[in-house]
Amino acid sequence: MTIIERARPEDAAALLTHLNRVGGETDNLTFGKNEFPASLEAEAAWLRERARSETSAHFVAREDGRIVGEAGLDALPRRMAHRAELGISVLRSHWGRGIGGRLLAAAVDFGRTHGIEMIELQVRSDNERAIGLYRKFGFERIGVYPGFFKLAGRYVDFDLMLLDLRGGGPAQKDPAEPQPLPLRAE
């Protein structure tokens, strides 16, 4: 049975183990195997901060006491405090079991009930499985970031996606083909 719950400071070592493992299982993350850039002390402090935060949270998926997935919702500062960034990772062995959806639901519910009006994320443009999950939750593609990653000399584009919790998100003419928002200078 998989349990989804808020991460605690005492999860720091297990969370770092998870992140350093999952980084080697996919090229969808900003880090590879054993490249997650945090010490045990820094990770524990970061989790303590998230546990006290009213607008940011970190969730873990546990099976038999072991972390098999995680999701972070991080509120932005100052004039962007109505927005939060989302990140999710699940061990490859647990893909297709609904864990990512449950983590996403926990993060979205937290944002919705804690004053977050917009949740944003970046996802590889060729990661159709993740994009499909995000769309099920109401995320819409608002643009493309060309060359977001460079892997083995090859540029990889990312979709920029947004979930507007205010109730009137970006208009789409055809839900099967999200339309990017026009850029405006102010």
Short mmCIF file of all heavy atoms in Angstrom, two decimals, residues 160-184:
data_model
loop_
_atom_site.label_atom_id
_atom_site.label_comp_id
_atom_site.label_asym_id
_atom_site.label_seq_id
_atom_site.Cartn_x
_atom_site.Cartn_y
_atom_site.Cartn_z
N LEU A 160 6.04 24.78 -20.89
CA LEU A 160 5.71 25.52 -19.68
C LEU A 160 4.22 25.34 -19.47
O LEU A 160 3.43 25.59 -20.38
CB LEU A 160 6.06 27.00 -19.85
CG LEU A 160 7.49 27.28 -20.32
CD1 LEU A 160 7.69 28.77 -20.59
CD2 LEU A 160 8.50 26.77 -19.32
N MET A 161 3.83 24.85 -18.30
CA MET A 161 2.43 24.54 -18.04
C MET A 161 1.95 25.29 -16.80
O MET A 161 2.73 25.58 -15.89
CB MET A 161 2.22 23.04 -17.89
CG MET A 161 2.58 22.26 -19.15
SD MET A 161 2.11 20.52 -19.09
CE MET A 161 0.36 20.65 -19.47
N LEU A 162 0.66 25.61 -16.79
CA LEU A 162 0.08 26.40 -15.72
C LEU A 162 -1.28 25.83 -15.33
O LEU A 162 -2.09 25.47 -16.19
CB LEU A 162 -0.12 27.85 -16.19
CG LEU A 162 -0.83 28.79 -15.23
CD1 LEU A 162 0.09 29.17 -14.08
CD2 LEU A 162 -1.29 30.04 -15.97
N LEU A 163 -1.50 25.74 -14.02
CA LEU A 163 -2.83 25.45 -13.49
C LEU A 163 -3.30 26.71 -12.80
O LEU A 163 -2.71 27.15 -11.81
CB LEU A 163 -2.77 24.28 -12.49
CG LEU A 163 -4.10 23.96 -11.79
CD1 LEU A 163 -5.17 23.55 -12.80
CD2 LEU A 163 -3.89 22.87 -10.76
N ASP A 164 -4.35 27.32 -13.34
CA ASP A 164 -4.89 28.56 -12.80
C ASP A 164 -6.01 28.21 -11.85
O ASP A 164 -7.08 27.77 -12.26
CB ASP A 164 -5.39 29.44 -13.95
CG ASP A 164 -5.71 30.85 -13.51
OD1 ASP A 164 -6.03 31.05 -12.33
OD2 ASP A 164 -5.64 31.74 -14.37
N LEU A 165 -5.77 28.39 -10.57
CA LEU A 165 -6.75 28.04 -9.54
C LEU A 165 -7.76 29.16 -9.28
O LEU A 165 -8.66 28.99 -8.46
CB LEU A 165 -6.03 27.68 -8.23
CG LEU A 165 -5.09 26.48 -8.31
CD1 LEU A 165 -4.32 26.31 -7.02
CD2 LEU A 165 -5.86 25.22 -8.67
N ARG A 166 -7.63 30.28 -9.99
CA ARG A 166 -8.56 31.39 -9.82
C ARG A 166 -9.90 31.10 -10.48
O ARG A 166 -10.86 31.78 -10.23
CB ARG A 166 -7.98 32.67 -10.42
CG ARG A 166 -6.72 33.14 -9.73
CD ARG A 166 -6.10 34.31 -10.44
NE ARG A 166 -5.79 33.92 -11.82
CZ ARG A 166 -5.38 34.78 -12.75
NH1 ARG A 166 -5.25 36.06 -12.48
NH2 ARG A 166 -5.10 34.35 -13.96
N GLY A 167 -9.93 30.11 -11.37
CA GLY A 167 -11.19 29.73 -11.98
C GLY A 167 -11.35 30.15 -13.42
O GLY A 167 -12.24 29.69 -14.10
N GLY A 168 -10.49 30.99 -13.95
CA GLY A 168 -10.64 31.44 -15.34
C GLY A 168 -9.34 31.35 -16.09
O GLY A 168 -8.87 32.32 -16.64
N GLY A 169 -8.75 30.17 -16.13
CA GLY A 169 -7.44 29.98 -16.74
C GLY A 169 -7.38 30.39 -18.19
O GLY A 169 -8.37 30.85 -18.77
N PRO A 170 -6.21 30.23 -18.81
CA PRO A 170 -6.04 30.63 -20.21
C PRO A 170 -7.07 29.95 -21.12
O PRO A 170 -7.38 28.78 -20.95
CB PRO A 170 -4.63 30.14 -20.55
CG PRO A 170 -3.95 29.96 -19.23
CD PRO A 170 -5.03 29.64 -18.24
N ALA A 171 -7.63 30.72 -22.03
CA ALA A 171 -8.64 30.18 -22.96
C ALA A 171 -7.96 29.28 -23.98
O ALA A 171 -6.88 29.57 -24.45
CB ALA A 171 -9.36 31.32 -23.66
N GLN A 172 -8.63 28.20 -24.32
CA GLN A 172 -8.16 27.29 -25.36
C GLN A 172 -9.26 27.14 -26.40
O GLN A 172 -10.41 26.93 -26.05
CB GLN A 172 -7.85 25.91 -24.79
CG GLN A 172 -6.66 25.88 -23.90
CD GLN A 172 -6.36 24.44 -23.49
OE1 GLN A 172 -6.94 23.50 -23.99
NE2 GLN A 172 -5.42 24.29 -22.59
N LYS A 173 -8.87 27.20 -27.66
CA LYS A 173 -9.84 26.98 -28.72
C LYS A 173 -10.16 25.50 -28.87
O LYS A 173 -11.27 25.11 -29.07
CB LYS A 173 -9.31 27.55 -30.03
CG LYS A 173 -9.18 29.06 -29.99
CD LYS A 173 -8.61 29.60 -31.28
CE LYS A 173 -8.41 31.09 -31.13
NZ LYS A 173 -7.62 31.66 -32.17
N ASP A 174 -9.13 24.67 -28.78
CA ASP A 174 -9.28 23.23 -28.92
C ASP A 174 -8.56 22.57 -27.76
O ASP A 174 -7.33 22.65 -27.66
CB ASP A 174 -8.66 22.77 -30.25
CG ASP A 174 -8.70 21.27 -30.44
OD1 ASP A 174 -9.21 20.55 -29.56
OD2 ASP A 174 -8.21 20.81 -31.48
N PRO A 175 -9.28 21.92 -26.83
CA PRO A 175 -8.62 21.35 -25.66
C PRO A 175 -7.56 20.30 -26.01
O PRO A 175 -6.68 20.05 -25.21
CB PRO A 175 -9.75 20.74 -24.85
CG PRO A 175 -10.99 20.88 -25.62
CD PRO A 175 -10.71 21.72 -26.83
N ALA A 176 -7.65 19.72 -27.19
CA ALA A 176 -6.65 18.73 -27.57
C ALA A 176 -5.33 19.41 -27.97
O ALA A 176 -4.29 18.78 -27.97
CB ALA A 176 -7.16 17.89 -28.73
N GLU A 177 -5.36 20.69 -28.30
CA GLU A 177 -4.17 21.42 -28.72
C GLU A 177 -4.08 22.72 -27.95
O GLU A 177 -4.65 23.72 -28.36
CB GLU A 177 -4.21 21.69 -30.23
CG GLU A 177 -2.97 22.39 -30.75
CD GLU A 177 -1.68 21.61 -30.50
OE1 GLU A 177 -1.64 20.40 -30.72
OE2 GLU A 177 -0.72 22.25 -30.05
N PRO A 178 -3.38 22.71 -26.80
CA PRO A 178 -3.26 23.94 -26.02
C PRO A 178 -2.63 25.07 -26.82
O PRO A 178 -1.71 24.84 -27.60
CB PRO A 178 -2.36 23.56 -24.85
CG PRO A 178 -2.36 22.07 -24.82
CD PRO A 178 -2.66 21.60 -26.22
N GLN A 179 -3.15 26.26 -26.63
CA GLN A 179 -2.65 27.45 -27.33
C GLN A 179 -1.75 28.24 -26.38
O GLN A 179 -2.16 28.52 -25.26
CB GLN A 179 -3.80 28.31 -27.80
CG GLN A 179 -4.79 27.60 -28.72
CD GLN A 179 -4.16 27.15 -30.00
OE1 GLN A 179 -3.43 27.90 -30.64
NE2 GLN A 179 -4.40 25.91 -30.39
N PRO A 180 -0.55 28.62 -26.81
CA PRO A 180 0.30 29.40 -25.94
C PRO A 180 -0.28 30.81 -25.74
O PRO A 180 -0.96 31.33 -26.63
CB PRO A 180 1.63 29.46 -26.69
CG PRO A 180 1.33 29.10 -28.09
CD PRO A 180 0.07 28.28 -28.07
N LEU A 181 -0.02 31.38 -24.59
CA LEU A 181 -0.45 32.75 -24.32
C LEU A 181 0.43 33.72 -25.08
O LEU A 181 1.63 33.50 -25.22
CB LEU A 181 -0.35 33.07 -22.83
CG LEU A 181 -1.28 32.30 -21.91
CD1 LEU A 181 -0.97 32.66 -20.46
CD2 LEU A 181 -2.71 32.64 -22.21
N PRO A 182 -0.12 34.81 -25.59
CA PRO A 182 0.73 35.79 -26.27
C PRO A 182 1.60 36.50 -25.24
O PRO A 182 1.21 36.70 -24.10
CB PRO A 182 -0.29 36.76 -26.89
CG PRO A 182 -1.52 36.58 -26.08
CD PRO A 182 -1.51 35.16 -25.59
N LEU A 183 2.80 36.85 -25.65
CA LEU A 183 3.69 37.62 -24.79
C LEU A 183 3.36 39.10 -24.96
O LEU A 183 3.19 39.58 -26.06
CB LEU A 183 5.15 37.37 -25.15
CG LEU A 183 5.62 35.92 -24.98
CD1 LEU A 183 7.05 35.79 -25.46
CD2 LEU A 183 5.51 35.51 -23.53
N ARG A 184 3.26 39.82 -23.85
CA ARG A 184 2.94 41.25 -23.91
C ARG A 184 4.00 42.03 -23.16
O ARG A 184 4.38 41.65 -22.06
CB ARG A 184 1.59 41.53 -23.26
CG ARG A 184 0.43 41.01 -24.07
CD ARG A 184 -0.85 41.35 -23.39
NE ARG A 184 -1.11 40.24 -22.46
CZ ARG A 184 -1.89 40.31 -21.41
NH1 ARG A 184 -2.50 41.42 -21.13
NH2 ARG A 184 -2.08 39.28 -20.64
#
